[in-house]
Amino acid sequence: MSGIVSFIVEIIIAIFLYVDAPKHNKSPWLWAILGFFFGPFALGIYFIKTGRKVVGWIMVIVVGLLYLAFIVLVVLAAVLFANGFGP
């Protein structure tokens, strides 16, 4: 279920970037592709590049921290399972 929700969010971000990019003289296809593959991170970068710096930086920092937390949890789980703390 979360995979479907994630895919829908990526599509929505890509559509938003495709529609909004020409208003700021940016390539709509480039930003739509970046938005599809990198999601909220690309949206934050787009906001920074188009002058909405506060929202953009907040998005980049929050998404970066979430990615970092995910990586730390995966590494911690791998270490715990390798040391015999698994099921």
Side-chain angles (χ1 to χ4, degrees), residues 11 27 53 73 76:
I11 294 291
S27 171
K53 294 185 186 302
L73 287 175
L76 181 62

Side-chain angles (χ1 to χ4, degrees), residues 55-78:
V55 175
W57 279 113
I58 290 171
M59 286 189 75
V60 168
I61 291 169
V62 168
V63 171
L65 288 174
L66 289 173
Y67 285 153
L68 184 62
F70 178 74
I71 291 169
V72 167
L73 287 175
V74 168
V75 169
L76 181 62

Side-chain angles (χ1 to χ4, degrees), residues 29-46:
W29 283 106
L30 172 67
W31 283 104
I33 291 169
L34 289 173
F36 182 74
F37 286 110
F38 298 108
F41 191 74
L43 186 60
I45 298 295
Y46 175 78

Side-chain angles (χ1 to χ4, degrees), residues 24 26 31 42-53 56:
H24 299 281
K26 306 289 183 193
W31 283 104
L43 186 60
I45 298 295
Y46 175 78
F47 283 152
I48 292 169
K49 298 285 285 176
T50 57
R52 296 170 273 188
K53 294 185 186 302

Side-chain angles (χ1 to χ4, degrees), residues 6-17:
S6 176
F7 182 72
I8 291 171
V9 169
E10 302 290 330
I11 294 291
I12 291 170
I13 290 172
I15 290 170
F16 170 76
L17 290 174

